[in-house]
Amino acid sequence: MKKIFFLLPEGFTRLSSILLATDVFEFANQYVMSRDGKPYYDIKIVGTNISQKLCNSHVSIKVENINNVERPDLIIIPAAAAENNYASRKNKKLLEWVVDQYKDGTELASLCTGSFLLAATGLFKNMECATHWIAANLFTKMFPNVRLCTDKIITDSKGLYTAGGALSSSNLILYLIEKYNGREVAIYCAKVMHLDIDRNSQSAFIIFEGQKDHIDVDIKKMQIFIEKNADEKITIDYLAEKFFIPKRSLVRRFKKATNNTPIEYIQRIKMEVAKRNLESGRKSVNEIMYE
């Protein structure tokens, strides 16, 4: 039997990500039991604070203390507030325990913004990671050595798994079930839960609002100009001339401030305008492409 532990750190935790994930695992158990006569997954909720409130609410949950459990096969870190200070003294013991389990062969997975705790372990250095798109800028700032994939729903590297935001985290659970139990079981769970098993990108859900959390005033002005003139043909040469900044300096400063080159930023703005027009307007795809 594979031991699956959901880990509750100190701070804000989203109960929904735990309940949805356990539902999918339980349907897998039902299917395997009908075939083999016994369940495959043993699911527990563990942590250091054995009675904890969730979602800043009056809902509380009792968990098993990490000191009293066997080594798990998989630790899952549910969605939480991105602003939680996982590197604080409160979670030091928890982080050390997670790292020790990984070194002993336990696989680790994060759902949505649970990736912040997983990244705080230091295990993701120079590796790919996914998180909710709305937390991408903060994640990049906090963990510059991690290769954040803003459009991916799932990453898988050396026994470390991450999932994109909200309900798409269930795609990671399906991915793990397919890995452990086979495609047939995963498809069954997807059908029962009404999940799209082969969805692999969260780009359709991303609202790109521009990376303006920086102090370069000239670049911010340039970003606003690009956003207001998304239907125009804008080149780097044009921007350099308009804002009186040498071309090479402009590219360097823009990349430093926004983590995008000017061309990448222009393309992302145009894509966001096209997406919003498709979502809210009545124009055809061809009309929007032409514009």
Side-chain angles (χ1 to χ4, degrees):
M1 184 174 286
K2 188 171 286 291
K3 295 186 287 295
I4 308 291
F5 288 3
F6 285 86
L7 185 67
L8 290 190
E10 293 282 350
F12 182 102
T13 302
R14 295 195 181 279
L15 182 60
S16 59
S17 67
I18 300 175
L19 296 179
L20 181 60
T22 53
D23 272 350
V24 183
F25 278 125
E26 286 299 340
F27 280 118
N29 266 343
Q30 288 180 18
Y31 190 91
V32 173
M33 284 181 68
S34 68
R35 185 184 62 189
D36 303 332
K38 57 183 178 180
Y40 186 81
Y41 298 103
D42 177 23
I43 301 170
K44 289 184 173 66
I45 300 176
V46 303
T48 53
N49 185 354
I50 63 171
S51 184
Q52 184 174 338
K53 288 186 177 181
L54 301 175
C55 308
N56 290 339
S57 72
H58 296 292
V59 178
S60 63
I61 188 168
K62 285 188 176 182
V63 305
E64 296 192 41
N65 194 291
I66 57 175
N67 296 318
N68 303 325
V69 295
E70 301 175 337
R71 184 184 70 80
D73 297 296
L74 173 68
I75 296 172
I76 298 179
I77 302 163
E83 295 81 5
N84 283 356
N85 185 7
Y86 294 120
S88 70
R89 182 175 296 180
K90 281 185 176 181
N91 282 309
K92 183 180 178 181
K93 184 178 179 181
L94 205 63
L95 291 174
E96 291 174 349
W97 180 79
V98 169
V99 173
D100 288 343
Q101 301 307 303
Y102 179 71
K103 289 179 178 178
D104 285 343
T106 296
E107 295 184 307
L108 307 177
S110 66
L111 307 179
C112 192
T113 47
S115 56
F116 280 73
L117 186 146
L118 205 50
T121 64
L123 295 171
F124 265 115
K125 188 175 182 181
N126 298 321
M127 293 170 62
E128 287 190 346
C129 178
T131 194
H132 196 296
W133 62 263
I134 206 167
N137 290 343
L138 178 60
F139 187 97
T140 301
K141 183 182 294 185
M142 292 178 65
F143 306 107
N145 293 326
V146 180
R147 290 158 51 197
L148 182 64
C149 303
T150 54
D151 63 328
K152 285 190 176 182
I153 282 182
I154 297 169
T155 66
D156 174 355
S157 182
K158 298 180 180 179
L160 300 172
Y161 309 94
T162 63
L167 297 180
S168 66
S169 293
S170 58
N171 286 90
L172 175 58
I173 306 302
L174 290 175
Y175 177 85
L176 293 170
I177 289 172
E178 181 173 354
K179 181 175 182 178
Y180 300 145
N181 304 114
R183 180 77 172 177
E184 182 181 334
V185 181
I187 289 175
Y188 171 79
C189 294
K191 287 184 175 181
V192 173
M193 296 292 292
H194 289 212
L195 299 172
D196 181 0
I197 191 171
D198 290 319
R199 188 153 54 89
N200 55 24
S201 173
Q202 61 174 324
S203 60
F205 305 105
I206 295 173
I207 302 174
F208 182 67
E209 297 178 333
Q211 302 101 322
K212 298 189 182 72
D213 188 18
H214 58 81
I215 59 174
D216 194 322
V217 176
D218 292 331
I219 299 301
K220 281 185 182 178
K221 291 179 181 177
M222 200 176 301
Q223 289 174 268
I224 293 170
F225 174 80
I226 293 169
E227 291 163 13
K228 288 183 177 180
N229 297 275
D231 56 341
E232 300 294 331
K233 183 176 181 179
I234 303 173
T235 65
I236 297 178
D237 289 330
Y238 177 80
L239 292 173
E241 182 179 347
K242 180 174 179 62
F243 290 92
F244 306 103
I245 302 174
K247 183 177 177 180
R248 291 183 63 182
S249 178
L250 185 156
V251 173
R252 177 181 55 80
R253 286 172 58 182
F254 205 102
K255 176 74 173 178
K256 181 180 179 182
T258 69
N259 293 314
N260 285 136
T261 66
I263 294 300
E264 288 171 341
Y265 193 86
I266 291 168
Q267 290 173 339
R268 294 189 73 179
I269 291 298
K270 287 179 178 290
M271 288 292 289
E272 184 61 27
V273 171
K275 281 166 56 180
R276 294 186 182 187
N277 284 339
L278 281 169
E279 291 166 351
S280 61
R282 296 185 178 275
K283 293 180 181 178
S284 69
V285 173
N286 285 335
E287 287 177 304
I288 293 170
M289 286 171 61
Y290 180 79
E291 291 180 358

